[in-house]
Amino acid sequence: MRSFIAYILLAAIMLPTLSPWGTIAYFKLNREYITRVLCENRKRPELHCDGKCYLAKKLKQQQDKQDKETSEKVHNTPVIQLFTPQPYFYDFEPAVKAFREPVRFFHQLLFYTAPVAQLLRPPRR
């Protein structure tokens, strides 16, 4: 029973996608009737339309109908605002930083000697 319901729901979801294929199948099955009766160019056989104009017109109508329904759904969908961003306030004055203690840098390095000479002495006895 569950699989039956699943197939029905799947078909309902896939139906809008498959509707152009239904129109094409109808055209293929009834091509002779469409060519004789419904074709706009039936009086001009040199165009070799064979009902393709009718098929193009029907497919365009379906596409326009789907576009209209989609746009109506989009316009009628309620907008839910989940959060409100806080406004940003900018202060363009320069920030003054006052140090608690004066900064002192009196280190002067004239040359560097590696401590290798002190480490590589032989041990004393």
Side-chain angles (χ1 to χ4, degrees):
M1 183 67 178
R2 287 184 183 177
S3 63
F4 179 70
I5 293 173
Y7 286 126
I8 289 176
L9 290 176
L10 183 64
I13 291 171
M14 297 284 294
L15 192 61
T17 307
L18 298 175
S19 76
W21 292 103
T23 304
I24 293 171
Y26 174 78
F27 173 74
K28 294 285 186 181
L29 292 174
N30 299 318
R31 192 171 202 155
E32 292 177 19
Y33 173 75
I34 291 172
T35 304
R36 275 188 288 112
V37 178
L38 301 175
C39 183
E40 296 173 359
N41 299 322
R42 64 181 171 262
K43 307 250 194 255
R44 298 169 36 192
E46 67 273 1
L47 294 177
H48 300 289
C49 179
D50 299 328
K52 293 176 189 168
C53 57
Y54 177 78
L55 176 64
K57 186 169 69 172
K58 286 297 180 183
L59 289 175
K60 178 74 172 144
Q61 285 176 356
Q62 275 188 340
Q63 185 65 36
D64 291 343
K65 182 180 175 185
Q66 285 180 351
D67 290 344
K68 183 180 177 185
E69 288 174 358
T70 304
S71 65
E72 286 177 2
K73 287 179 185 176
V74 168
H75 289 299
N76 294 334
T77 303
V79 177
I80 300 172
Q81 189 170 3
L82 298 176
F83 65 93
T84 305
Q86 295 179 352
Y88 294 105
F89 296 105
Y90 294 103
D91 187 18
F92 293 105
E93 295 180 16
V96 178
K97 295 183 180 180
F99 295 106
R100 293 184 184 160
E101 295 181 14
V103 180
R104 297 179 188 145
F105 295 106
F106 293 127
H107 182 69
Q108 186 177 9
L109 184 63
L110 296 176
F111 59 93
Y112 177 74
T113 58
V116 175
Q118 297 172 358
L119 293 175
L120 295 179
R121 286 188 194 168
R124 294 184 189 175
R125 289 191 186 187

